[in-house]
Amino acid sequence: MTDADRLAQTRYYIMTLARISGAAGAVFGIVILARATQWGDQAIGGALTLASLIEMAVVPRALAARWKSPPAQDSKEP
């Protein structure tokens, strides 16, 4: 495996870890929300769930955009 392949594999694992951590945070927020008896606890659970769902959507895409390879240059263009 070349260094480029290892780098790509590592980046893939990092993006996957970001998705898994977001899902775990959302589940934890739902558990807090379900067990909450007071308004403040419900707000914390809801905020944690919402933040985790946003993390699941935004962080992997931001990492992919940051790590995107530059476009290849065609030798046919002047």
Side-chain angles (χ1 to χ4, degrees):
M1 188 180 291
T2 65
D3 288 337
D5 291 338
R6 285 192 181 109
L7 181 62
Q9 184 179 22
T10 302
R11 289 177 174 178
Y12 173 77
Y13 288 146
I14 291 171
M15 289 190 303
T16 302
L17 183 63
R19 289 183 185 111
I20 290 171
S21 67
V27 169
F28 184 61
I30 290 171
V31 168
I32 291 173
L33 191 60
R35 291 179 173 246
T37 57
Q38 296 179 353
W39 185 86
D41 295 338
Q42 290 176 346
I44 290 172
L48 181 61
T49 303
L50 185 60
S52 296
L53 291 174
I54 291 171
E55 175 197 348
M56 283 175 45
V58 173
V59 172
R61 287 185 186 203
L63 289 174
R66 181 178 180 188
W67 292 332
K68 186 175 182 180
S69 300
Q73 298 292 327
D74 285 337
S75 61
K76 295 179 183 178
E77 292 184 21

